Amino acid sequence: MELSAGTGGNGSRKTASERDEVAVLESLQFTDEIRCLMSAPGADNASSFTALLELPATQAVQLIHSPDSAKLIAAPTPAPNVDDFKGSFQFPFNSGLTERAARFSVFAGDGNINSNNKSNSPEPTSYNSSASLQKPVKSEPAETESSQPLVSDPTVENLSIKRKGREKVKGSAKKSKTAAKESSDDAEQLPYVHVRARRGQATDSHSLAERARREKINARMKLLQELVPGCSKISGTALVLDEIINHVQSLQRQVEFLSMRLAAVNPRIDFNLDSIFTAESGSLLDGNFSGMVMPVICPEVQLNGNRQQFPQQLHSDAFQQPVWGREEVCNNYITPENSLLSFVAASLHSNQLKMEL
Amino acid sequence: MNKYNPDRMNPSSLRSRFTTRFLRNLSKIHAQKPSSSSSPAEIFRRYRRIKVAADKSMAYSVRSRRTWSRAMLWKLRTRPCSTSIRKTRHEKQNKNRTTTATTGEDRVGFGVEADELRELVPGGEAMDLCNLLHETAHYIKCLTTQVQVMKKIADFYSP
């Protein structure tokens, strides 16, 4: 076959870099064929690849070897033909074809295709983004050797693979700035790619910073959700924030209620820290934070109870005040004993204190 | 067997620090109080003092490690004595902070709620959303300790 002969002829030199060039050349070949198809007036369907093959091999080879091929490809004249054959061909993006063709013309235009392989070899390697393209491109020659009517479909797939590969490259290029620069170099020549590259490059530092900030805020929101009871079920930041605000307000109100309670309570007992600690410990063991949920619901109930207790406590205060004064003096002597005793029998002692008073 | 008192295990924890300070202040207040505590006005005044003592002891337990505690301490200090110098100095600082901290980007998804939160948390006006959330978390933690301790004291003293 003419194509295989062409590939064989080119594939005789089998170094890695030259293989890349071969692959590029073969892709060029295909674009040339497509160009011929489009320019040919009689071509109707994608199945007219057979018509392509009927093209004398000479013409195909000429298209490769002639430097005029670059002009042919780069010429914008196929554009109207592209539109005509848009529906008939199965290529979803014909504009993508034009770019790719023009892109490969870069390789072609820089030097002779066959002779100067060394000059071409640094080019594919320098373009890192194209490296990934060459892998799907290599699959093309493998498939050309298979049945020819199927050539149309694999090329469609390959082109779509190429497109995806390029998109992946663009995605990864966002992370590496050097690759982004290279894509911007390509972008100078191709308007379609230019838009994508610019988007990825311009928002690089900004998007990273914003993303970091957003992640920080989300992490802190998660911490807050864990702190506030009943918040983990809620989804949506606005509702979570509302819950947090309610929780903070309720806590502040609780502090006010408790301080009012403490103001009303007559401190007829010593403010012995040890005894209070020991009394605390007993209630602490009952479950610290489960108790916090209940007070959230019941503070209003407690408040009502407190308000009712006030007049009663006032009466009781009047009786106990003279006793209170004496106890203050006594407490100074008792405190060291209390601290010792609390070590031995903690809860018992606190109960005894309560009983005495 | 666990020790009865978890506060003895960690004497420098927030809870124990707050408890000791608060009890000390409470005893001071009750020592100051006159013999007759029958009038509701007296009780109200005492309530005020106790509330202030609670906030103060909490803020002192946290020292200046958090923005909200610093703001609260400043508020407590300048409340009784209205020195114009201190106020103007701090107002200037606050203004500078507010202009730099709140940019347009911060307000994107959290407009109304963030403002409410700023009002609730002391010193919240001059903070961006990220720090505000951080301060809120610590503030909630401290408030819960405060409520727990005060509740236990109140339960201990009431029959």
Side-chain angles (χ1 to χ4, degrees), chain A residues 175-193:
Chain A
K175 290 176 186 174
S176 58
K177 286 182 182 175
T178 52
K181 281 177 194 165
E182 287 154 15
S183 60
S184 69
D185 291 338
D186 296 336
E188 289 164 9
Q189 292 135 13
L190 305 165
Y192 180 70
V193 181

Side-chain angles (χ1 to χ4, degrees), chain A residues 213 220 227 241-242 245 252 254 256 259 261 263 266-271 273 276-277 281 284 321, chain B residues 4-7 23 30 33 35 46-47 50-51 106 110 113 120 130 137 139 147 152 155-157:
Chain A
R213 258 190 82 252
R220 287 185 180 167
L227 266 183
L241 270 180
D242 282 336
I245 288 169
Q252 284 174 342
Q254 273 179 12
E256 286 184 23
S259 61
R261 253 180 84 184
N266 191 23
R268 54 196 185 272
I269 322 161
D270 55 340
F271 280 94
L273 303 178
I276 287 169
F277 278 138
S281 63
L284 269 173
Q321 277 156 21
Chain B
Y4 286 111
N5 190 7
D7 288 332
L23 284 171
H30 284 289
K33 89 162 189 195
S35 53
R46 222 192 308 164
Y47 148 69
I50 289 178
K51 185 160 167 267
D106 298 344
F110 305 100
E113 293 91 2
L120 282 177
C130 204
Y139 187 57
V147 167
K152 297 222 176 81
D155 289 339
F156 182 74
Y157 284 124

Side-chain angles (χ1 to χ4, degrees), chain A residues 157-302:
Chain A
E157 288 166 9
N158 286 331
L159 285 166
S160 60
I161 292 167
K162 266 194 225 172
R163 212 173 301 112
K164 283 175 194 168
R166 184 176 285 189
E167 283 170 2
K168 281 179 198 164
V169 164
K170 288 291 174 277
S172 62
K174 278 179 189 172
K175 290 176 186 174
S176 58
K177 286 182 182 175
T178 52
K181 281 177 194 165
E182 287 154 15
S183 60
S184 69
D185 291 338
D186 296 336
E188 289 164 9
Q189 292 135 13
L190 305 165
Y192 180 70
V193 181
H194 186 58
V195 173
R196 265 199 235 164
R198 183 179 268 175
R199 226 187 286 154
Q201 201 187 16
T203 60
D204 202 11
S205 53
H206 286 298
S207 63
L208 280 177
E210 272 186 37
R211 212 184 304 154
R213 258 190 82 252
R214 250 178 271 141
E215 280 171 12
K216 224 175 161 190
I217 287 179
N218 286 335
R220 287 185 180 167
M221 288 286 289
K222 270 188 203 164
L223 276 178
L224 275 173
Q225 271 185 311
E226 284 167 27
L227 266 183
V228 177
C231 225
S232 49
K233 298 172 196 168
I234 302 175
S235 60
T237 43
L239 295 172
V240 167
L241 270 180
D242 282 336
E243 267 300 314
I244 292 168
I245 288 169
N246 287 335
H247 192 244
V248 169
Q249 277 174 343
S250 74
L251 281 174
Q252 284 174 342
R253 258 181 265 141
Q254 273 179 12
V255 167
E256 286 184 23
F257 294 155
L258 283 169
S259 61
M260 199 181 286
R261 253 180 84 184
L262 282 175
V265 159
N266 191 23
R268 54 196 185 272
I269 322 161
D270 55 340
F271 280 94
N272 188 7
L273 303 178
D274 293 325
S275 59
I276 287 169
F277 278 138
T278 54
E280 273 184 9
S281 63
S283 48
L284 269 173
L285 292 172
D286 293 335
N288 299 330
F289 291 98
S290 60
M292 285 312 297
V293 181
M294 290 307 292
V296 174
I297 306 168
C298 310
E300 297 179 7
V301 177
Q302 274 185 1

Side-chain angles (χ1 to χ4, degrees), chain B residues 16 35 44 52 64 77 81 91 109 120 125 132 143 156:
Chain B
S16 54
S35 53
F44 187 71
V52 165
S64 308
R77 272 191 203 136
C81 46
E91 276 168 10
L120 282 177
E125 301 90 8
L132 183 66
L143 274 179
F156 182 74

Side-chain angles (χ1 to χ4, degrees), chain B residues 15-70:
Chain B
R15 181 200 292 258
S16 54
R17 286 200 311 258
F18 169 70
T19 318
T20 48
R21 271 209 183 88
F22 181 57
L23 284 171
R24 232 179 283 156
N25 291 334
L26 252 189
S27 56
K28 258 188 248 171
I29 289 174
H30 284 289
Q32 285 171 9
K33 89 162 189 195
S35 53
S36 64
S37 62
S38 53
S39 59
E42 274 289 329
I43 291 180
F44 187 71
R45 238 174 284 156
R46 222 192 308 164
Y47 148 69
R48 266 280 155 94
R49 259 186 272 164
I50 289 178
K51 185 160 167 267
V52 165
D55 290 337
K56 201 189 273 189
S57 42
M58 178 50 78
Y60 269 109
S61 309
V62 181
R63 288 289 159 176
S64 308
R65 268 177 280 155
R66 298 282 164 171
T67 317
W68 68 265
S69 67
R70 266 175 269 152

